[in-house]
Amino acid sequence: MSKPLVYESSLASVIDLVAREQEPGWLAALREKGAAIHRESGVPTMRQEEWKYTALRPVASVDWQPGEPGPAVFESELGRYSDSPIRLVMVNGRLDRNLSEIPAQPGLTAMSLRDAVYERPGIEGLLGSVATLEGFTFAALNTAVFVDGLFLHLKAGTAVEPVIEVVHVTSGQGMVVAPRILVVAEDGSTAKIVEHYTSDGPSANLTIPVTEVIVGKHANIEHVRLQDEAVTNMHIALWQTAQAGESEYRSYNVAFGGSLARLDQNIVLGGEHITTRLDGVVVANGSQVIDNHTKLDHALPNCNSFEIYKQIVDDDATVVFNGKIFVHQDAQKTDAKQTNQALLLSPNATINSKPQLEIFADDVKCTHGATVGQIEETFRFYMRSRGIPKAEADAILVYAFAAEVLELISDEVVRERLERRLYGKLGIDLGV
């Protein structure tokens, strides 16, 4: 008798435990769709190809409860990754207005998603239009249970100079936290967004965020995502973007946190002359499992995409990278480059890398490369010969390996603070 493809789990029972006021019919229908998909899909086992390297038994074995509002104040600083006056703080998936700073910016709407559902009729048809639920059981669950979220809207031609900083805080134990974000950047708009996922202590929740991004024609968006939750937390996310013609979208995924963390990031290049960056830095140590699946979907001609993923794994940790580039038959003159490099720092660490190219057009330039290695002895010797202790030399070399991605971030303050956090994650003492 073959083993089942899903775990026995009470996770779906959270859907029935969420208290909710009467909602518009379109949202109720969307939730029903999400609930049905999650109930049918359940919690996958490693017998499913998409979860081949990541065991979800720790998720299935918990008797989860719906996420509750978090505390109004925290004992420690949540951390800032910019000096921006725009700061939106989400606590257990709910916008906390007392902790947020939302100064008026011409052309920018930043508001509670729950309020937007009632006050912005145009949101119907946008929310849920980008995120794929089929095949993403946790995104389906998010759709069924999210209570609040964030709606960011840039009117056509709007240029927001300050970074839009979004802080997601998880707090408590045994809860399913479902942040939901909808970003709509209309034609010709420009902005920089930084999302930071953190915990207020040793929380042990299941965070299942869904971020949908709609990038209009000629829009230019830079989007940084730092997942730095407590290593007692679990985090399974979907980040999906749809780009229109002649737009530019640059995304940077920095993953440090979680005992078990998974991100599916999908970008659809749905127009001509699009430029896309999809880069990542992953550092895992202890017994962490960090899994990243990416997909670049080239639908039309004359588009460029660039992807660099740098992964560092130490101790008994495991990282997974699955990167797919899909080039449709109409997507002639596509130029797509993917690079995945991993650095093993321990004989007990594990890396699973699976680059994939599926090309149905004949006039394209598509390349991918995957390497797994250790610190080069030549470089180590060079530094030690100049009096640098081994531990410090190794830390500098590891930092240099990862910094190639962070250096691409255009905002200097964001870049420097992420580099500083990278030092901290790597155990490098800056002495300041």
Side-chain angles (χ1 to χ4, degrees):
M1 183 177 178
S2 62
K3 293 181 179 179
L5 295 180
V6 296
Y7 288 111
E8 286 188 17
S9 168
S10 62
L11 185 57
S13 64
V14 171
I15 297 171
D16 300 321
L17 297 175
V18 176
R20 186 175 294 111
E21 298 174 356
Q22 187 172 2
E23 295 178 325
W26 65 267
L27 180 55
L30 184 63
R31 290 192 187 282
E32 288 176 7
K33 177 184 176 182
I37 290 174
H38 178 72
R39 286 194 171 102
E40 182 178 351
S41 304
V43 177
T45 70
M46 296 172 76
R47 288 170 59 85
Q48 293 190 19
E49 182 65 25
E50 291 298 309
W51 293 92
K52 184 177 180 180
Y53 301 111
T54 302
L56 292 176
R57 187 175 295 282
V59 174
S61 61
V62 177
D63 184 16
W64 297 104
Q65 298 299 310
E68 296 179 353
V73 294
F74 298 98
E75 294 182 357
S76 59
E77 288 290 327
L78 297 176
R80 283 179 177 266
Y81 281 86
S82 76
D83 289 332
S84 174
I86 307 173
R87 190 169 192 248
L88 301 119
V89 179
M90 311 280 295
V91 182
N92 284 350
R94 297 162 171 83
L95 179 64
D96 190 318
R97 293 174 179 77
N98 293 323
L99 297 175
S100 299
E101 300 158 15
I102 317 177
Q105 291 283 327
L108 171 66
T109 296
M111 65 186 299
S112 154
L113 183 60
R114 179 170 51 192
D115 292 346
V117 165
Y118 296 99
E119 298 173 11
R120 304 283 172 141
I123 201 170
E124 180 183 355
L126 296 175
L127 184 65
S129 66
V130 175
T132 304
L133 302 187
E134 292 83 1
F136 297 95
T137 182
F138 293 95
L141 179 61
N142 172 292
T143 302
V145 304
F146 77 85
V147 176
D148 193 10
L150 185 62
F151 177 48
L152 294 177
H153 179 217
L154 293 152
K155 286 185 178 179
T158 296
V160 177
E161 187 63 29
V163 170
I164 302 170
E165 183 165 1
V166 181
V167 184
H168 303 267
V169 189
T170 55
S171 178
Q173 308 289 326
M175 292 186 289
V176 175
V177 176
R180 186 86 185 204
I181 299 180
L182 174 62
V183 179
V184 180
E186 292 188 355
D187 296 354
S189 58
T190 63
K192 298 174 184 176
I193 302 168
V194 175
E195 287 188 80
H196 173 205
Y197 289 83
T198 187
S199 306
D200 69 340
S203 69
N205 295 314
L206 171 61
T207 310
I208 52 169
V210 172
T211 300
E212 297 179 274
V213 185
I214 300 170
V215 183
K217 290 182 179 179
H218 301 284
N220 189 321
I221 302 297
E222 183 171 293
H223 194 164
V224 179
R225 182 187 200 272
L226 169 62
Q227 191 279 103
D228 198 15
E229 292 186 332
V231 292
T232 47
N233 220 66
M234 290 184 275
H235 184 107
I236 303 175
L238 175 65
W239 177 8
Q240 197 145 342
T241 301
Q243 281 187 255
E246 302 182 62
S247 64
E248 182 169 346
Y249 183 70
R250 302 178 306 282
S251 67
Y252 303 96
N253 170 41
V254 183
F256 294 158
S259 60
L260 185 162
R262 160 81 172 237
L263 172 67
D264 283 272
Q265 185 182 4
N266 306 318
I267 302 179
V268 177
L269 288 72
E272 291 195 56
H273 303 291
I274 286 173
T275 299
T276 305
R277 286 215 70 94
L278 195 164
D279 298 332
V281 173
V282 178
V283 181
N285 52 24
S287 58
Q288 286 184 281
V289 177
I290 299 183
D291 182 352
N292 284 283
H293 284 221
T294 68
K295 182 181 178 185
L296 284 159
D297 204 340
H298 284 261
L300 290 171
N302 301 307
C303 294
N304 302 323
S305 68
F306 308 95
E307 181 173 11
I308 302 174
Y309 251 77
K310 298 272 189 165
Q311 298 169 292
I312 300 160
V313 57
D314 201 356
D315 303 325
D316 298 315
T318 298
V319 298
V320 181
F321 174 77
N322 187 315
K324 179 182 287 187
I325 299 174
F326 195 96
V327 182
H328 293 254
Q329 189 172 13
D330 291 339
Q332 304 292 344
K333 306 293 183 185
T334 289
D335 187 355
K337 296 181 177 63
Q338 180 193 88
T339 302
N340 170 39
Q341 296 176 325
L343 193 58
L344 275 171
L345 300 181
S346 162
N348 298 322
T350 301
I351 293 172
N352 296 296
S353 181
K354 187 180 178 184
Q356 294 176 272
L357 292 178
E358 292 190 34
I359 302 171
F360 297 92
D362 51 18
D363 185 8
V364 301
K365 289 192 295 182
C366 294
T367 61
H368 69 81
T371 62
V372 177
Q374 299 172 318
I375 292 176
E376 285 277 352
E377 285 298 331
T378 305
F379 297 150
R380 179 185 281 156
F381 175 79
Y382 175 85
M383 299 187 75
R384 296 209 64 193
S385 66
R386 281 150 179 79
I388 300 174
K390 178 178 179 297
E392 187 176 342
D394 286 356
I396 292 172
L397 290 170
V398 172
Y399 168 80
F401 171 81
E404 181 183 348
V405 170
L406 299 185
E407 288 170 352
L408 297 171
I409 296 171
S410 65
D411 188 275
E412 185 177 352
V413 174
V414 174
R415 185 173 64 249
E416 288 182 356
R417 292 182 185 178
L418 282 172
E419 288 174 346
R420 187 173 293 271
R421 178 64 191 106
L422 174 62
Y423 271 122
K425 179 69 178 178
L426 294 173
I428 302 173
D429 183 4
L430 294 175
V432 294

